[in-house]
Amino acid sequence: MYAANLYISNMYNRRKFLKISAASASLATISNSIFAKALKPMEPAGYPVVISTWGFGVEANQGAWAVLEKGGRSLDAVEAGVRIPEADMKNHTVGRAGYPDRDGHVTLDACIMDEFGNCGSVAAMEDIAHPISVARLVMEKTPHIMLVGDGATQFAVEQGFKREKLLTPESEKAWKEWLKTAKYQPVMNIENKQHMQGSKYNHDTIGMLALDSKGNISGACTTSGMAFKLHGRVGDSPIIGAGLFVDNEVGGATSTGVGEEVIRNVGSFLVVELMRRGYHPEDACKEAVNRIIKKKPQTAKDIQVGFLAINKKGEYGAYAIQSGFEFAVCNAQQKDLIVKGKSFYNVG
């Protein structure tokens, strides 16, 4: 009897041991699976994708998309994209057809930043039609980040760029008309208003951000600055951290509007840092706008500043002080999407 009971007891314990072992193995498999998922890099919700400020960004985005859809690098995409408005003879706030300063000089600003944190910039450069490409060469061929004025032009010529007169007959006519009153007053959302000579847009800075098929982000920003500005004035567009900032671990941001207020708040850097803390791109842009309004509420009522951002998941968003700001989106699903940005004030 004792032997029989011992046999039954041993069989029971063996079955119990096997059940426990099987359960433990199952739990281990589940745990390993969860751990493996935790270690797997987060895949962007949708990429490649390129976004840029204002409606005229549609054509610029398509230029960038020609690079991205072939598996190209985001840096090459943003340079190719913004070169399109730089060459647009109807665009009077970006590139070779930009309006001059109060002394009749067309001066161009641009910056570019890649996924490794490398960056290049030119400011107040004259006689060169594509400042974004010069900015890239500053990044790649010099130990510096920014070249300005005559030095930027000299460098461009040394790199093979053609020196040419940028003041077009149309821009010169507008400048001479302005000289009759010589009143300097930035116009809100001028990029969405009819130009006095009849072109579709009067545009503004173009800022562009691209996320390529490898999940890497680059950005570019280029402008001719405010029309009829003081000679030598430089806004936020060529300043890394103000007009543009990229951190490939987090995302990228760019800005448009009155650059002085963006510089005071290091706006694009602020947006990226907010995304680092977990903000959605739109919420990060909104907070950056609120900082400007909080510091100078009276000034903010009469100016426009907008931010545009994208994170590593391919999520994007924008926010502006005034209504009227819009941005363009291009991905595999849609090439010409224009999105109305949200705003703090409604100017109708």
Side-chain angles (χ1 to χ4, degrees):
M1 179 65 71
Y2 173 76
N5 289 338
L6 181 61
Y7 173 78
I8 293 171
S9 177
N10 287 339
M11 288 294 292
Y12 171 79
N13 289 334
R14 184 171 179 271
R15 290 193 185 103
K16 186 177 180 181
F17 173 77
L18 290 173
K19 288 180 180 180
I20 293 172
S21 298
S24 297
S26 178
L27 287 172
T29 301
I30 294 171
S31 298
N32 288 336
S33 176
I34 294 172
F35 184 65
K37 289 181 179 179
L39 288 179
K40 185 179 180 181
M42 185 184 299
E43 295 184 357
Y47 71 83
V49 60
V50 56
I51 58 176
S52 59
T53 54
W54 304 112
F56 66 91
V58 168
E59 291 81 7
N61 283 357
Q62 290 173 357
W65 185 254
V67 176
L68 294 175
E69 69 175 344
K70 297 175 183 177
R73 186 181 173 196
S74 57
L75 181 70
D76 296 326
V78 295
E79 180 189 7
V82 302
R83 280 177 62 95
I84 291 175
E86 283 184 341
D88 184 357
M89 297 303 290
K90 294 181 180 180
N91 189 326
H92 296 297
T93 64
V94 177
R96 69 178 322 280
Y99 281 150
D101 60 27
R102 68 174 187 176
D103 298 331
H105 301 276
V106 178
T107 62
L108 305 181
D109 309 325
C111 72
I112 195 164
M113 193 167 186
D114 71 10
E115 69 270 33
F116 302 111
N118 300 313
C119 47
S121 170
V122 293
M125 184 176 69
E126 298 185 48
D127 303 330
I128 305 296
H130 286 292
I132 195 63
S133 294
V134 183
R136 179 169 179 175
L137 289 181
V138 171
M139 176 181 75
E140 294 179 339
K141 294 194 173 185
T142 82
H144 310 304
I145 290 177
M146 176 179 281
L147 295 179
V148 303
D150 292 341
T153 302
Q154 177 186 341
F155 172 76
V157 172
E158 290 171 352
Q159 296 300 315
F161 286 82
K162 178 184 176 182
R163 192 165 190 158
E164 57 185 303
K165 179 182 177 181
L166 299 184
L167 184 62
T168 65
E170 188 175 1
S171 294
E172 186 174 16
K173 181 180 178 180
W175 170 58
K176 288 180 176 178
E177 184 67 26
W178 173 83
L179 284 174
K180 294 177 181 179
T181 59
K183 183 180 181 182
Y184 181 66
Q185 184 177 1
V187 180
M188 275 188 289
N189 295 328
I190 195 170
E191 52 292 311
N192 288 330
K193 301 178 185 296
Q194 291 294 315
H195 178 253
M196 61 183 177
Q197 266 75 38
S199 62
K200 186 178 180 181
Y201 297 109
N202 197 12
H203 310 299
D204 196 350
T205 302
I206 182 164
M208 176 179 284
L209 301 161
L211 178 65
D212 63 30
S213 59
K214 294 181 180 178
N216 292 322
I217 302 173
S218 296
C221 189
T222 181
T223 186
S224 58
M226 289 182 174
F228 321 127
K229 62 200 174 190
L230 291 178
H231 183 58
R233 180 264 183 186
V234 174
D236 65 307
S237 296
I239 298 177
I240 300 298
L244 174 73
F245 192 73
V246 171
D247 186 323
N248 203 44
E249 293 182 353
V250 181
T254 189
S255 65
T256 184
V258 179
E260 283 77 3
E261 300 309 316
V262 178
I263 294 170
R264 288 189 179 102
N265 292 272
V266 199
S268 292
F269 177 79
L270 172 60
V271 172
V272 173
E273 287 305 296
L274 289 168
M275 290 194 294
R276 190 190 305 279
R277 291 168 51 187
Y279 281 60
H280 184 276
E282 182 181 295
D283 295 330
C285 292
K286 180 178 181 180
E287 176 58 24
V289 164
N290 287 338
R291 297 275 182 98
I292 293 173
I293 295 170
K294 184 178 179 180
K295 287 182 179 179
K296 293 196 171 186
Q298 294 305 314
T299 300
K301 290 180 180 180
D302 298 318
I303 65 168
Q304 175 67 304
V305 171
F307 293 101
L308 176 65
I310 190 169
N311 64 21
K312 286 285 283 186
K313 293 188 289 183
E315 297 170 332
Y316 51 80
Y319 209 87
I321 295 178
Q322 314 288 348
S323 62
F325 176 47
E326 60 188 21
F327 63 97
V329 181
C330 180
N331 55 31
Q333 287 72 46
Q334 191 160 0
K335 304 294 188 293
D336 57 357
L337 178 63
I338 296 179
V339 181
K340 297 291 184 182
K342 295 181 181 179
S343 61
F344 188 87
Y345 294 115
N346 186 352
V347 294

